[in-house]
Amino acid sequence: MLDIKTRENIIKLINEQVVPAVGCTEPMAVALCTARATEILGRRPEKITVFLSANILKNAMGVGIPGTGMIGLPIAIALGALIGKSEYNLEVLKDLDAHSLEDGKQYVKENHIDIKLKKGECDKLYIEVNCEADSNKATAIIACKHTNIVYEERNNEVLLDKRTQTKCEDTEDAVTLNLRMVYDFAMTTPVDEIRFILATRDYNIKAAEESIKGNYGHCLGKTMDRPLSHGIFGNSIYSHIISKTASACDARMGGAMIPVMSNSGSGNQGICATNPVAVFAQENENTEEELIRALTLSHLTAIYIKQSLGVLSALCGCVVASIGSSCGITYLMGGTYEDICHAVKNMIANLTGMICDGAKPSCSLKICSGVSTALLSALLAREGKHVTCAEGIIDQDVDQSIHNLTSIGKEAMCATDDMVLKIMTNKK
């Protein structure tokens, strides 16, 4: 068992990285920054100028904004200014109603908003909002993490400046993880200390159930529940996992006003780390303690991988979260630590290189690819089969295999990221 101090630090880390969110985290972070700049200004802005890093712009362009029936940044920014409350963090727009929505649509039509790509060097997660009214001006900046406000200014008076204290490239987490530590924490921590992780199931399974009541995104989750799909895939644990995971993603990407529990700043990652594990545990009749430990293993594995990958990257986040869910499912199948290491290697061998081309309804397709591979990787691992160090980027050491994956996503795919943004912003 890990010592008490280490356990406390890991629990703190999980509580920081696994939090509720309504809507895609990137536009919600922009709305949050806008809300804070408006609060500093002290009145309704007449003009809002927003500067965004390429990764934020990419992830916020094509996703539905909760409760609006609209996509993209302008309505998120407008509502952030008109009704947003920074104290709500990523649930910044939860006070939205029909009246404020119409007000927001009108605000967008009146061209108060100017969105620009931040020039020069900046963090991959960077949001700067300047609000103006009469002769007054206020600025708020978020960097490194979706709720991390690092700078505030009003009429050239600096109210807050944490920019020099914030180093995005160096983790500020209280503990640096490895897979063995993740496993030991999930397996040996007294269950009452980690029971809080069940909230991820409560949020994200409920999101899937609420999604079925509407027609969100591409309705992939509902499609998997139809007779034709059952004829192809069977009415099986596999199809139920795909349906429950895709449904929650459909709702979130389609702009449903449904909260989910996120992981490492991403709701889709939270869904992908939760629902496959929760559905498998229910249908496999695992105990509640086994579910708690499996969810903890899944979410903490995703957090561990994101420590070296970064909050935003060219690599699709479902790759990371699916590795976590594969670990959780392998454990629920009766797998050992060695089996879990094998499942991780199987995942990396298959999914490395899946690009992130922004948050959007079709993310549910990528999530299905990730979850399908998670199940296959777990099954192979339990059969004693795994990709070896003689193949591709897989190393004998599982942690080195993970770092090989994150190096490709963080460094080698930068040119890919630039090209993706160029394609997305130059469509005719």
Side-chain angles (χ1 to χ4, degrees), residues 189-406:
T189 298
V191 71
D192 285 341
E193 292 184 18
I194 52 175
R195 189 175 298 277
F196 66 88
I197 203 69
L198 288 175
T200 64
R201 174 203 59 186
D202 298 340
Y203 268 81
N204 295 345
I205 293 296
K206 183 178 180 181
E209 293 168 349
E210 290 296 314
S211 176
I212 297 298
K213 299 175 183 178
N215 290 310
Y216 299 106
H218 297 297
C219 297
L220 182 54
K222 292 180 77 170
T223 299
M224 284 297 297
D225 262 344
R226 289 175 180 149
L228 177 60
S229 297
H230 287 167
I232 297 171
F233 299 105
N235 188 7
S236 61
I237 296 177
Y238 170 80
S239 66
H240 299 164
I241 286 174
I242 295 294
S243 175
K244 282 290 196 294
T245 308
S247 290
C249 179
D250 285 334
R252 183 171 177 273
M253 294 290 95
M257 202 70 171
I258 299 172
V260 301
M261 194 68 82
S262 64
N263 180 298
S264 304
S266 167
N268 281 349
Q269 286 171 198
I271 291 165
C272 201
T274 302
N275 288 16
V277 176
V279 173
F280 185 91
Q282 181 180 9
E283 303 216 6
N284 195 47
E285 298 183 349
N286 290 98
T287 66
E288 183 179 75
E289 178 174 343
E290 288 170 336
L291 172 60
I292 289 170
R293 297 197 183 281
L295 286 171
T296 301
L297 177 61
S298 179
H299 278 275
L300 193 56
T301 298
I303 291 168
Y304 160 45
I305 297 172
K306 293 292 283 187
Q307 280 187 332
S308 58
L309 181 63
V311 179
L312 297 176
S313 76
L315 186 69
C316 177
C318 82
V319 173
V320 174
S322 295
I323 293 173
S325 62
S326 188
C327 292
I329 290 169
T330 302
Y331 161 71
L332 291 173
M333 289 178 173
T336 63
Y337 176 68
E338 183 180 19
D339 293 328
I340 286 164
C341 291
H342 291 168
V344 170
K345 293 179 181 181
N346 292 340
M347 291 292 294
I348 294 171
N350 193 343
L351 290 180
T352 298
M354 183 185 289
I355 65 168
C356 171
D357 55 344
K360 59 210 176 301
S362 60
C363 284
S364 58
L365 289 165
K366 293 189 177 186
I367 277 184
C368 287
S369 296
V371 173
S372 297
T373 304
L375 288 162
L376 179 61
S377 296
L379 283 168
L380 282 174
R382 290 294 291 128
E383 291 291 323
K385 306 293 185 182
H386 66 95
V387 180
T388 70
C389 61
E391 304 172 70
I393 67 168
I394 301 304
D395 193 273
Q396 183 68 31
D397 179 72
V398 67
D399 293 295
Q400 186 58 53
S401 297
I402 288 170
H403 289 301
N404 292 345
L405 166 73
T406 58

